[in-house]
Amino acid sequence: MLKSDATPARRTPGALDGNLDPKDRKKTQVVAGFLRQIETAGPGLKAAIVESAVIDQTPSQMTTRSEPNLAARPAGEIELKLLVDADRMADFITAPVIAANARNKGTRKHLKSIYYDTPERTLRRAGLSLRVRQSGARFVQTVKTDAADDPLRRGEWEASVPSLAPDLALAMPFIPEKLRAQLDTQPLEAVFTADVHRHARMIDLPTGTVEIAFDQGELTAGDRSLPVSEIELELKSGSASTIYEIALRLAEHGAVKPSIRSKSARGFDLAADTAPPAVRPRKLRLDPSVTLDEAFATILRSCFLHLLLSLPAAQDGRNPEGVHQLRVSLRRLRSALDLMRSAGALSNLDALRSEAKWLAQDLSAARDWDVFQLDTLPAIARACPSVAGFDALRRAAAQRQSEAYRKAHDALDDRRCAVFLISLGGWIETRGWRNDVAAEDLGRLAEPAVNFAQRVLSEQHAKVLKRGRRFKSLTVDEVHRVRLAAKRLRYLGEFLLPLFADRKSTRKFARRLAGLQEELGAFNDMAVTASLLDGLGSDDRDSAIAAAAIAGWQARASIGVQQSLQDGWRDFTAARVPWSSQG
C-alpha cells in the first residue's frame, strides 16, 4: 500500500536532486508558460500533557493578523506546504531562488505548540483548530479554519495569552454560534503536541513577498509520534502566484510533495490512529449572474482543491477510497479543461490535460484491483461456498493489487507529479486562460456564464441521447460509448447546474442522471472484472475454477443489470432539462 507522512514507521527516499532532464521538461511544458505569466505580471513539550490536561480559561487581549495589500480579505493565511525528506532539507535552504532573493539569513525559532479540542472533537468536526504556541517567552493562541473553496486560503486569528493554557473566551467570536453552547459545557483537553525547529526567511520577488519556513520536528500524541519535515510558503504581500513561482523553482531543485494538509490535520489523525480521510468533492455554488471567467475560476479551484485534499489518503494507502477520490478529482479536472475548450482555443489546456491523464492512468489499476478484492470477489465467494479456489484467487489478486499500488506510489512520488500540481495551481491563480484565449474569443469570458451553460449542456445532452438511440439493441461497445457521454454530462452538470439551482427540475434531472451513470458503471464493472480475470488463475487449477465461477456469476447477473439499465435510461430520457426556457 502507499505510504505518506501519516505513517511514521517508514520514510520514502526522495529523488536525487538536480535539474529536470530534457524528457521531464518536455512532459511539463506548461511550466514555461506559467513562469512567463509571472514574470510579466508587474511588481520539547512532554507527551504527558497530551494525556490529561483540562484547561482553565483566562481572558486576555485578542489581536488579528493582517496582511499588506489584502485588506479586503478576512483575517487569514495564504499558504502552501512542500513535504520533503529530512535529509534533503539543507539542499533547499541554499536553493538558487532563495539565495538570490532572500532579504537576509533569516531567523531561527524553536516552536512548541499544544493543540486542543473537546473529548468529542467538537472543533475538529466543525473544521476548526485551536492551538497555543510558545516561541521564547511569548505565547500565542491561534484559531484556524479549514480551506473553504480555495486551496491556499484559510481563516486565521491570533491572540496573546499568558501561558500554554488556551483562553476559550477569546476564541468564541470566531466559532460558529451553534457550537458555543457545546463548548461551554465541554472542557478542552490537549490532543497532541508539535515540537518544531523553524528557519524562516523573507523572499522578495516582483510579484510579491513570501515568508519561507523550513520546519523540522515531531508531532506527538501519547506514545505515537510523526516526523515533520516541510517547507511552508506563506504570502505576506502581493499575488498568491508568487507562492507557486517559488514552489516551482524548488521542485526543479529537488524532490517535493505539494500539500495543503495542516499539522493540525496530521496531528488529530495521529492521535486517533486513523488514516487521512478520503474527501469527496464539495458542491459548487455559482450565482446565476456570474461571468464565464469567474465561473471558470470557481470550477477550477474546486477541482484543484479536491485533488489536493485527495492526495494524503491516496499516498497513505490504508483507505482504498483515497485512490478512488484522487482518480475522481483528476477526471473532474480533465472535464473542466475540456469544458473550457468550448470558449475558444487555449494553448496550455492540452499540456495540463495530458499530465492529468498520465497521473490518472497510473492510478487506474490500483482502483480496479481494490474493487475486485473488496467487493466483487468476496460477494461471489460468499454466494458460492462450495466452489474451491477463492482463497488462491484472492492471493493471486493481492499480488497484482500490490504491484498496481507500487506503480501508483511511484507516480505520486515522481517529480513530474509535483511540477504538474504546482504549475496547475499557478495557472489557476493567475487565470492563465486569459492569456491563452485568442483576441476574438476574449469577449466571451465577460459574458454571463448562464448563456454558455445552456449551450454546452444542451449539446452534451443531445450527444447522450444520440448515442443511446434504440438503447435496448445496443452492443456492449455502444453502451460503453453511452457511458462515457453520460459521465461527461454528469461532470458538466456538477459544474454548471448550480447556475440553475433555483429551478425545481434541476435536482430531479441531476438525480436521474446520477442513477443512469450508476447503472452504466455497474455494467462497465463487469467488463473490467473480465479483463482482470484474464490469465489471473491460469496457473492454478483451483484458481481457474474460482475465476470461471466469477465469470459465470457475472454473466448471469448481467441479465438483471440489462433490465435495470433500461429502466435507468427510460427515467433519464423522460426528465425535463433545467436549462431550457421551460426548465
Side-chain angles (χ1 to χ4, degrees), residues 369 372 376-377 380 393 400 526-538 543 546-552 554:
W369 284 112
F372 180 81
T376 305
L377 190 150
I380 298 176
L393 191 64
R400 300 285 183 91
M526 294 182 178
V528 171
T529 298
S531 67
L532 296 179
L533 287 173
D534 187 22
L536 182 62
S538 59
S543 293
I550 291 176
Q554 292 205 327

Side-chain angles (χ1 to χ4, degrees), residues 256-329:
V256 302
K257 290 182 180 179
S259 174
I260 58 171
R261 193 161 185 253
S262 65
K263 294 182 182 70
S264 172
R266 284 173 278 171
F268 276 98
D269 285 343
L270 176 69
D273 195 21
T274 57
V279 181
R280 294 179 179 274
R282 299 172 182 176
K283 289 185 178 180
L284 276 175
R285 290 179 173 80
L286 290 174
D287 189 279
S289 64
V290 73
T291 65
L292 183 58
D293 183 63
E294 188 58 40
F296 281 163
T298 301
I299 291 167
L300 287 169
R301 280 198 303 265
S302 170
C303 294
F304 189 44
L305 178 62
H306 184 209
L307 201 169
L308 291 176
L309 290 175
S310 300
L311 278 171
Q315 291 168 333
D316 179 87
R318 284 177 285 175
N319 183 354
E321 187 68 11
V323 166
H324 175 55
Q325 285 303 318
L326 185 55
R327 287 183 68 211
V328 170
S329 73

Side-chain angles (χ1 to χ4, degrees), residues 403-435:
E403 292 169 356
Y405 263 85
R406 278 197 295 272
K407 182 179 180 181
H409 183 269
D410 289 343
L412 294 174
D413 277 350
D414 196 314
R415 190 177 299 174
R416 180 179 175 182
C417 176
V419 172
F420 160 60
L421 294 172
I422 297 168
S423 301
L424 173 64
W427 189 74
I428 295 171
E429 186 65 41
T430 60
R431 301 200 183 190
W433 55 89
R434 292 176 177 174
N435 297 335

